[in-house]
Amino acid sequence: MTVATDPVSAIEGGLVVSCQAPEGHPLRDPDVMALLARCAEQGGAAGLRVNGPADVRAVRAVTDLPVIGLTKVTRPGIRPLITPGFALCEELVRAGADVVALEVTDEVAPVAGDLMGLVKRVRADLGVPVMADVSTLEEGLRAWSWGADVVSTTLSGYTPYTASGMEPDLELVGELASRGVRTVAEGRLRTGGHVTGAFERGAWAVVVGAAITDPVAITRRLAAAAPGRTRR
Ligand SMILES: CC(=O)N[C@H](C=O)[C@@H](O)[C@H](O)[C@H](O)COP(=O)(O)O
């Protein structure tokens, strides 16, 4: 299936649902990701965020919603990097991604090389918008100045130099948006209050993943609130 309108405009004011499951997760199957994508579409999602060409291809086949593709490159013991190179971007577009998400962080720079060149090349040579996944205000402003079409707070709390926590970094959303950056709020959003809070701070769109598409995480959160055997 194909997307008619500009994908960045299509997600404005909307909810993007991240349909991802890492290796070893019970839902790790491109066909399952496609089912989750259909659920998201029926529920009113404006777009989808999908990891890896196989999942992008499976999701593309069942929906006309804009698909934001990324490829996580795993590293032992530490967080994966997000789409650190042009060849990965090319594969995603070939699989049907309408937007490529790639990280623009100080942490990825030694691996991905010339990040400004990467952002520009993806837009120019592949003809798709870039979503820059960042963790700080400086990274976001840099990515925006290089021509990223949208900047997402995805990695706040995940780089070694940002503080992790349970709550989404809506402060960063506000800081970026107030400087005129087209900003997506992403990372740890799990309530209606988080979504409205992000839009109140000027978000262009929001991305929600685990709170919708990861039953293991949802179960873990609710199980932690149950008293368990101590109660009996
Ligand atoms: C840090 C990182 O690699 N984040 C990834 C980016 O694609 C995904 O694992 C997240 O699920 C996504 O950002 C949505 O966030 P949340 O699942 O918290 O709603």
Side-chain angles (χ1 to χ4, degrees), residues 18 20 49 70 72 79-80 82 133 154-155 158 186-189 207-211:
S18 177
Q20 300 186 35
R49 189 171 150 115
L70 64 136
K72 283 181 173 168
R79 74 164 183 92
I82 298 179
D133 290 334
T154 317
L155 292 168
Y158 298 99
E186 175 169 357
R188 304 181 298 280
L189 280 83
V207 174
V208 177

Side-chain angles (χ1 to χ4, degrees), residues 56-228:
V56 167
R57 201 166 281 115
V59 168
R60 174 77 296 150
V62 299
T63 180
D64 288 330
L65 287 179
V67 174
I68 300 163
L70 64 136
T71 293
K72 283 181 173 168
V73 173
T74 54
R75 305 178 292 171
I78 37 178
R79 74 164 183 92
L81 297 173
I82 298 179
T83 331
F86 185 76
L88 297 169
C89 301
E90 226 173 354
E91 272 184 74
L92 289 167
V93 173
R94 220 177 293 130
D98 304 294
V99 177
V100 166
L102 56 91
E103 75 171 87
V104 176
T105 63
D106 293 341
E107 206 183 1
V108 80
V111 178
D114 174 14
L115 286 175
M116 178 174 76
L118 181 60
V119 169
K120 290 183 182 299
R121 193 170 166 212
V122 169
R123 299 183 79 250
D125 293 4
L126 301 179
V128 294
V130 167
M131 173 183 275
D133 290 334
V134 304
S135 69
T136 64
L137 176 62
E138 293 68 31
E139 290 169 354
L141 293 175
R142 205 180 303 150
W144 184 246
S145 76
W146 291 343
D149 298 271
V150 67
V151 171
S152 188
T153 60
T154 317
L155 292 168
S156 172
Y158 298 99
T159 51
Y161 44 87
T162 55
S164 60
M166 291 293 291
E167 295 301 302
D169 191 350
L170 298 185
E171 202 180 308
L172 179 57
V173 173
E175 284 175 335
L176 285 164
S178 70
R179 285 165 173 82
V181 176
R182 198 179 290 132
T183 305
V184 168
E186 175 169 357
R188 304 181 298 280
L189 280 83
R190 61 183 186 283
T191 68
H194 290 154
V195 172
T196 52
F199 284 111
E200 280 163 12
R201 285 166 178 80
W204 179 262
V206 298
V207 174
V208 177
I212 298 174
T213 58
D214 185 352
V216 175
I218 297 164
T219 305
R220 196 173 282 138
R221 184 152 54 89
L222 295 175

Side-chain angles (χ1 to χ4, degrees), residues 223 226-232:
R229 285 170 180 275
T230 55
R231 171 92 175 268
R232 282 182 235 138

